[in-house]
Amino acid sequence: MCICCIAGFDGIEIHGAHGYLIDQFLKDGINDRTDEYGGSLANRCKFLIQIVQAVVEAIGADRVAVRVSPAIDHLDAMDSDPVSLGFAVIERFNKLQQNIGSKLTYLHVTQPRYAAYGQAESGKHGSDQDEAEFMRTLRKAYQGTFMASGGFTRELGMEAVASGDADLVSYGRYFISNPDLVLRFKMNAPLTKYVRRTFYTQDPVVGYTDYPFLNKTTVKEQALSRL
């Protein structure tokens, strides 16, 4: 059994997005390999699928999730056809799930409106409708639980789930600056703004554990909250 299970974690999310190693295999703008892992979509997807298969065999599909970002141009990892890339990855996940008779915990996709360093990271940044349609298309293709992330507010997250565009919505940066984010969403309370320059520092406190918790006595709960 893997170390994460021994440590008591419920499962893991394989990070195949945002320009990191797996994403560098997936994207034709950075993968210049000439062996079996480069060139065609099938070849570029091979590394990711092999990793997922190995982890599933070790701990079971119900403990494994995967994150991808086919439409994101980040750290020089971009693709000339993100829709086809997204479909190719999902097609292989669907086949894998069918073969093993079990579904992954979820597929996590970062939508094009994701931004880093204050700038949009989509190589071909389109309208909100175009980006919503891109995510909706992938969501319909995937045969399993679909998680979306990237620039979601409380309202946009609720809308995505209510409309069926996503089963789950992930929040990252606002969870750093709001350790009680779930409570704040429930109460429709103001959010503390994050300080981006402290995201990747070595300080064990500043930017990590020094953000304030909500003073519930000063915030009136919204009766119409659906969370």
Side-chain angles (χ1 to χ4, degrees):
M1 181 169 290
C2 69
I3 294 176
C4 71
C5 297
I6 296 174
F9 286 95
D10 295 317
I12 64 168
E13 179 183 271
I14 297 171
H15 200 335
H18 300 177
Y20 295 108
L21 181 61
I22 295 175
D23 201 31
Q24 293 176 25
F25 276 79
L26 292 173
K27 303 285 181 63
D28 63 8
I30 195 170
N31 183 343
D32 57 1
R33 301 176 70 100
T34 57
D35 59 9
E36 61 180 309
Y37 293 98
S40 67
L41 270 173
N43 285 358
R44 287 184 277 126
C45 289
K46 187 178 296 185
F47 184 58
L48 168 62
I49 300 304
Q50 289 177 338
I51 291 174
V52 174
Q53 287 176 324
V55 179
V56 165
E57 289 174 3
I59 64 175
D62 60 338
R63 288 179 173 233
V64 179
V66 184
R67 185 176 192 177
V68 294
S69 57
I72 303 299
D73 172 8
H74 188 49
L75 300 178
D76 294 329
M78 63 175 295
D79 196 83
S80 61
D81 189 350
V83 174
S84 294
L85 175 59
F87 275 135
V89 170
I90 287 174
E91 178 185 358
R92 284 158 178 78
F93 284 156
N94 288 341
K95 183 177 181 180
L96 172 65
Q97 293 176 151
Q98 183 178 10
N99 290 341
I100 64 177
S102 181
K103 294 184 183 296
L104 301 173
T105 298
Y106 58 80
L107 173 62
H108 183 176
V109 180
T110 308
Q111 63 181 2
R113 71 164 157 244
Y114 160 81
Y117 314 121
Q119 297 179 334
E121 289 297 323
S122 171
K124 299 179 180 179
H125 193 69
S127 67
D128 289 345
Q129 182 59 39
D130 291 338
E131 295 175 2
E133 187 59 33
F134 171 81
M135 295 293 286
R136 196 171 292 128
T137 299
L138 297 186
R139 195 267 172 274
K140 290 178 180 178
Y142 180 60
Q143 298 168 7
T145 301
F146 188 87
M147 177 186 290
S149 66
F152 279 97
T153 62
R154 174 183 182 272
E155 291 71 23
L156 288 173
M158 293 169 65
E159 180 182 329
V161 173
S163 65
D165 289 348
D167 299 303
L168 303 168
V169 173
S170 172
Y171 294 86
R173 286 164 284 183
Y174 275 117
F175 242 128
I176 294 176
S177 58
N178 297 272
D180 50 1
L181 183 65
V182 174
L183 175 62
R184 290 177 188 249
F185 277 180
K186 286 182 177 180
M187 300 180 69
N188 199 15
L191 301 181
T192 301
K193 177 64 177 176
Y194 52 80
V195 181
R196 186 182 297 277
R197 61 181 174 80
T198 65
F199 280 179
Y200 303 106
T201 64
Q202 297 181 355
D203 194 295
V205 175
V206 177
Y208 288 94
T209 61
D210 60 342
Y211 284 107
F213 283 82
L214 181 68
N215 183 353
K216 290 186 287 185
T217 61
T218 62
V219 180
K220 183 178 180 181
E221 185 170 0
Q222 301 296 312
L224 296 180
S225 172
R226 295 183 295 171
L227 295 173

